[in-house]
Amino acid sequence: MQGIEGVLGTLRSQALSAPESGIVELVNAGREQENLIPLWVGEGELPTPDFICEAAYKSLRDGETFYTYQRGLPELREALANYHESVYGRPFSSDRFFVTGSGMHAILIALQATVSAGEEILVPSPVWPNLSACAGIAGAHPVFVPMQFSEGRWELDMELLQASVTAKTKALFINSPCNPTGWVATRETLAELREFALKNNLWIIADEVYGRFVFGEEKRAPSFYDVAQDDDPILYVNTFSKNWAMTGWRIGWLSCPKGMGQIVENLVQYSTSGTAAFMQRAAVAALQNGDEFLQFQVEKAQRGRALLTERFVKHSRLNLSMPDGAFYLFFSIDGLADSRETAFAILRETGVGLAPGTAFGPGGKPFFRLCFARDIGQLNDASRLLCRWIGD
């Protein structure tokens, strides 16, 4: 008999080496803790609005419990086209949109379509860890390109990005607004990235999940849609999770150049075989009737950002990454270099749940990520406890 260790040893090396999420590690350790203030994951405390849930209930009552369109319900794909037209101010064809079983599923399909085992994808870092882990499981190699941090802002080094290209490089991942740093690429930077990708024959995987969460006069962040042609090699991944408080629903979308329909349908078929119809009806309701709730979400995040930055900037030991978008505060504490160990201590001693920067790749180790898309009372209590714990 081999024993369980021998059996496990016969699994694919990529599966065996898949990293444990440094965020989920903290969540699992503290989710049952009393007096917990959970600011470690990217979601608010509000449940999905009733008008979205009612659309799902109606679909179930109407018997929509069978297999459905693998590219997505025509009504939802049309609603996605209309939503994009309203946000970006130009027409979109519903043919370019595909419904996925979460934003993570959209990323998986984008990777499957662009990067093979042994090939490379460029990933500016610090960055949400799931993309690079997913690439690694597939046998591809994420090549981290360090972002530059100076005077409270992160910037992308284009020269370093170009220097990271090899004969094996096939794609570039750009997350703007960025989780966890709050960096937002300007329209000029996106145009430069497009030219860079075309010059090097690379696909761009554009994660614009937080595109509506920006803090200033603009109603949205700059997008590759602003600078790209419809047939450019760009795959846009997105989700219903953040805008409409639907994190637990696991439904997202992928936007692709014309002509990829059958390819994407095949990849959906061999991964999930489609997204449940009742979830798609709920998504239609979110797109068609969710503007007011989305605006409320953005304003709520803006209030949370203002409270925390005003309080933290006064603390002598706190170094902030000032977020221009998304809904995270990324900060370090003078004298504490290992955020994983410190995050566990903060959790035990204060009940405040933070995500350690070690979870976000190179450049993240001394930082902590705090989600401020939360109840203002929770944020007030958490900031008070953190400042007391840190001391002078």
Side-chain angles (χ1 to χ4, degrees):
M1 297 290 289
Q2 284 187 320
I4 189 61
E5 291 186 2
V7 172
L8 294 179
T10 64
L11 294 172
R12 290 177 65 239
S13 60
Q14 291 87 351
L16 291 170
S17 61
E20 178 183 10
S21 167
I23 305 169
V24 175
E25 180 188 23
L26 264 291
V27 174
N28 287 340
R31 68 167 73 241
E32 302 300 329
Q33 182 168 324
E34 293 185 6
N35 301 318
L36 176 68
I37 305 178
L39 308 178
W40 39 31
V41 297
E43 63 180 359
E45 80 290 346
L46 297 177
T48 306
D50 287 345
F51 71 91
I52 296 175
C53 295
E54 285 297 333
Y57 300 155
K58 182 179 186 305
S59 176
L60 288 170
R61 289 194 299 266
D62 290 345
E64 288 192 305
T65 57
F66 299 94
Y67 292 130
T68 187
Y69 296 86
Q70 304 206 0
R71 301 187 190 196
L73 290 175
E75 296 91 336
L76 178 50
R77 299 176 75 199
E78 189 63 36
L80 282 165
N82 293 336
Y83 169 78
H84 281 73
E85 181 172 345
S86 69
V87 173
Y88 299 103
R90 64 179 181 85
F92 284 81
S93 169
S94 63
D95 289 344
R96 73 171 296 145
F97 297 103
F98 302 88
V99 181
T100 60
S102 71
M104 186 64 236
H105 185 220
I107 287 175
L108 173 63
I109 290 176
L111 285 168
Q112 289 175 333
T114 58
V115 187
S116 300
E119 296 179 338
E120 297 172 350
I121 178 170
L122 302 180
V123 184
S125 179
V127 65
W128 185 57
N130 289 35
L131 177 284
S132 55
C134 189
I137 292 169
H141 300 293
V143 176
F144 293 105
V145 181
M147 299 277 285
Q148 307 303 306
F149 182 60
S150 176
E151 298 181 355
R153 289 286 191 274
W154 295 85
E155 294 296 339
L156 182 61
D157 188 330
M158 292 298 300
E159 292 184 2
L160 187 57
L161 192 69
Q162 180 63 60
S164 302
V165 176
T166 73
K168 295 182 179 180
T169 309
K170 299 300 177 183
L172 165 66
F173 179 72
I174 294 294
N175 172 214
S176 173
C178 179
N179 170 12
T181 64
W183 170 72
V184 178
T186 64
R187 184 182 177 122
E188 292 73 24
T189 296
L190 294 175
E192 192 173 359
L193 287 167
R194 173 183 178 267
E195 292 301 320
F196 163 81
L198 292 174
K199 172 186 172 184
N200 291 283
N201 198 29
L202 306 180
W203 278 87
I204 294 174
I205 299 175
D207 180 344
E208 299 187 351
V209 163
Y210 298 95
R212 302 298 297 276
F213 286 88
V214 289
F215 309 109
E217 295 182 0
E218 300 297 328
K219 296 297 184 182
R220 63 169 177 86
S223 166
F224 279 107
Y225 286 126
D226 296 323
V227 299
Q229 302 296 316
D230 284 347
D231 58 353
D232 281 349
I234 302 176
L235 300 175
Y236 301 79
V237 299
N238 218 312
T239 180
F240 289 87
S241 292
K242 313 300 182 180
N243 292 353
W244 298 286
M246 297 176 69
T247 53
W249 291 73
R250 317 313 301 137
I251 181 168
W253 72 86
L254 183 67
S255 173
C256 306
K258 184 179 180 180
M260 287 189 63
Q262 194 57 55
I263 296 168
V264 175
E265 180 172 329
N266 293 344
L267 293 174
V268 170
Q269 165 66 25
Y270 302 126
S271 54
T272 63
S273 296
T275 302
F278 72 88
M279 294 167 60
Q280 296 192 56
R281 298 296 183 193
V284 171
L287 291 169
Q288 293 181 342
N289 304 307
D291 284 353
E292 184 177 344
F293 181 77
L294 171 55
Q295 185 58 37
F296 170 78
Q297 291 266 78
V298 174
E299 291 172 358
K300 177 184 174 187
Q302 190 152 3
R303 289 192 297 272
R305 174 183 181 271
L307 182 149
L308 292 177
T309 54
E310 181 181 355
R311 187 165 294 180
F312 282 14
V313 77
K314 297 176 182 177
H315 200 291
S316 61
R317 291 183 62 196
L318 284 172
N319 305 298
L320 303 187
S321 169
M322 298 299 289
D324 295 317
F327 45 59
Y328 305 103
L329 200 64
F330 206 49
F331 64 95
S332 63
I333 304 171
D334 285 345
L336 298 174
D338 187 343
S339 57
R340 178 184 177 275
E341 178 182 322
T342 304
F344 274 106
I346 291 172
L347 175 64
R348 288 192 306 269
E349 297 168 26
T350 72
V352 178
L354 303 174
T358 50
F360 299 95
K365 186 176 181 180
F367 290 87
F368 303 85
R369 190 194 72 177
L370 182 160
C371 174
F372 54 74
R374 304 287 302 190
D375 173 75
I376 201 73
Q378 284 187 338
L379 297 177
N380 185 58
D381 291 344
S383 60
R384 175 178 50 81
L385 289 166
L386 282 171
C387 289
R388 181 189 301 169
W389 187 88
I390 295 166
D392 296 326

